Amino acid sequence: FKVLESRYDIWAPMPDVFDPEFVRRADVTIARIAEEIQGSPWCVGIFVDNEKSWGRREGTVEQRYGIILDGLARDAAESPAKAAFTRYLQEKYADIAAVNAGWGTEIDSWESLAAGVEFNAHPEALLADLSTMLEMLSNEYFKVVHDTVEKYLPNHLYMGARMASWGMPDETIKASVKYSDVLSFNIYKEGLHPDTWSFLKDIDLPAVIGEWHIGSISDTGLWHPGLVHAADQADRAAMWTDYMDSVLAHPNFVGAHWFQYVDSPQSGRAFDGENYNVGFVTNTDIPYPAMVKAAQEFNRALYPRRYGEETVPGEQ
């Protein structure tokens, strides 16, 4: 399918979700997932995609709306997203003069706008339209994926797109809420900062963490501790507990998926060279005792703490 790109993409360009080929690929992919799941009741639901480059919640205009600016610079004859943006603008503004008055531009016709435009300044009217178009793009993405999941996996939850904390603009979150059963975020921090994630308390949906880890090079033989650093394995276990305590304290979060069960290879994983201490076990299946003990203690008390019970079930 066609794509939209910015200078701030992390893993790959964004799909042009208005491209019919994107719709077809979503159908092919989710149909295959459904074949593999075979309606299993042990599968609660599925994520689709991971850490897409939607844009930043804050930062420069280019960081927030880079993919939309790229779309506007394209020719509508070659870009389904640009064609959709052009239709939106034609419906909103009476004529091209009204666009110029709001944007501070000198576009001579709708045909010129459709052929591609770039900007030297970003007045408020333009920012408002960029925001609307990002929400349009996000809305179409989540609608296509949700409807396809519903088609092939009607008895399973759609658990969102595992948005990275660096790539979750408000417009995209707003769209995801409309179509997701569960919101999902990858949060590589020391824990959940209450202010950063307070917006979820106004959303009546459960949330899960798709990825997080803490690592150390102490006593591992690995060359890199990962994205969040601990001093040694004891500190790593303590930081694991602190992180999970912050998840438990947030009323929307119902789980956190550790990345990953086994350490990276010492020589680095094949496709990008990551050689992180990310495992609960080494790459020879030897457990990290401090991590195992921390998880046992936390999970044993998890439900009593969440629901206010004084004793652990089964204990006096």
Side-chain angles (χ1 to χ4, degrees):
F1 43 76
K2 295 179 184 295
V3 298
L4 299 173
E5 301 182 73
S6 83
R7 291 184 296 145
Y8 301 97
D9 297 343
I10 300 297
W11 297 117
M14 277 295 298
D16 181 338
V17 299
F18 294 98
D19 184 351
E21 182 62 14
F22 172 78
V23 179
R24 191 185 77 83
R25 290 305 310 170
D27 191 276
V28 169
T29 301
I30 295 170
R32 177 59 183 271
I33 294 170
E35 289 177 8
E36 295 176 356
I37 292 172
Q38 296 182 336
S40 170
W42 295 104
C43 179
V44 174
I46 65 166
F47 307 102
V48 179
D49 279 328
N50 182 68
E51 297 185 351
K52 308 298 284 183
S53 296
W54 297 103
R56 308 278 179 170
R57 292 190 83 187
E58 299 176 345
T60 66
V61 173
E62 288 81 4
Q63 288 172 324
R64 291 160 55 199
Y65 300 120
I67 57 174
I68 306 304
L69 292 169
D70 176 61
L72 289 172
R74 293 174 183 261
D75 188 333
E78 302 294 331
S79 168
K82 175 58 178 298
F85 297 157
T86 303
R87 289 192 297 270
Y88 154 71
L89 294 168
Q90 289 175 320
E91 290 170 5
K92 178 178 178 179
Y93 294 96
D95 54 42
I96 198 68
V99 175
N100 288 324
W103 289 7
T105 50
E106 297 180 354
I107 305 167
D108 59 23
S109 66
W110 287 114
E111 290 75 18
S112 294
L113 187 148
V117 291
E118 298 183 3
F119 305 94
N120 296 317
H122 306 100
E124 289 300 317
L126 174 59
L127 293 178
D129 285 327
L130 295 177
S131 176
T132 297
M133 287 183 273
L134 178 57
E135 187 173 341
M136 285 173 54
L137 186 79
S138 303
N139 193 78
E140 186 69 12
Y141 169 88
F142 283 103
K143 183 180 186 301
V144 167
V145 176
H146 166 274
D147 291 354
T148 312
V149 172
E150 187 69 17
K151 174 182 175 181
Y152 289 106
L153 292 163
N155 298 315
H156 293 73
L157 300 176
Y158 171 38
M159 302 179 71
R162 291 163 50 112
M163 286 184 276
S165 55
W166 45 257
M168 42 175 253
D170 292 339
E171 296 89 346
T172 302
I173 292 173
K174 182 178 178 181
S176 72
V177 168
K178 293 167 61 176
Y179 293 102
S180 302
D181 298 307
V182 181
L183 302 179
S184 53
F185 305 93
N186 296 349
I187 308 172
Y188 284 98
K189 301 288 185 181
E190 285 78 11
L192 300 186
H193 193 286
D195 291 342
T196 303
W197 298 96
S198 61
F199 73 91
L200 287 176
K201 295 180 181 179
D202 296 325
I203 299 172
D204 187 24
L205 280 177
V208 298
I209 296 171
E211 291 182 21
W212 68 286
H213 68 228
I214 296 164
S216 172
I217 58 174
S218 175
D219 303 323
T220 66
L222 293 164
W223 302 105
H224 201 295
L227 301 181
V228 182
H229 302 182
D232 53 31
Q233 293 304 309
D235 185 43
R236 186 176 179 229
M239 291 177 67
W240 184 95
T241 300
D242 288 344
Y243 188 105
M244 289 303 298
D245 281 342
S246 74
V247 176
L248 183 60
H250 196 295
N252 287 72
F253 278 92
V254 298
H257 298 163
W258 175 263
F259 183 91
Q260 59 182 7
Y261 176 69
V262 63
D263 275 341
S264 304
Q266 188 174 23
S267 57
R269 62 185 184 183
F271 62 92
D272 66 357
E274 276 192 11
N275 54 358
Y276 297 171
N277 170 219
V278 294
F280 263 75
V281 302
T282 71
N283 48 35
T284 54
D285 291 328
I286 299 172
Y288 288 104
M291 292 289 286
V292 173
K293 184 174 185 291
Q296 287 176 328
E297 291 176 351
F298 179 87
N299 287 308
R300 187 171 184 81
L302 171 62
Y303 288 105
R305 289 177 61 193
R306 187 68 178 250
Y307 296 107
E309 299 175 16
E310 294 185 1
T311 60
V312 177
E315 288 187 351
Q316 298 299 318

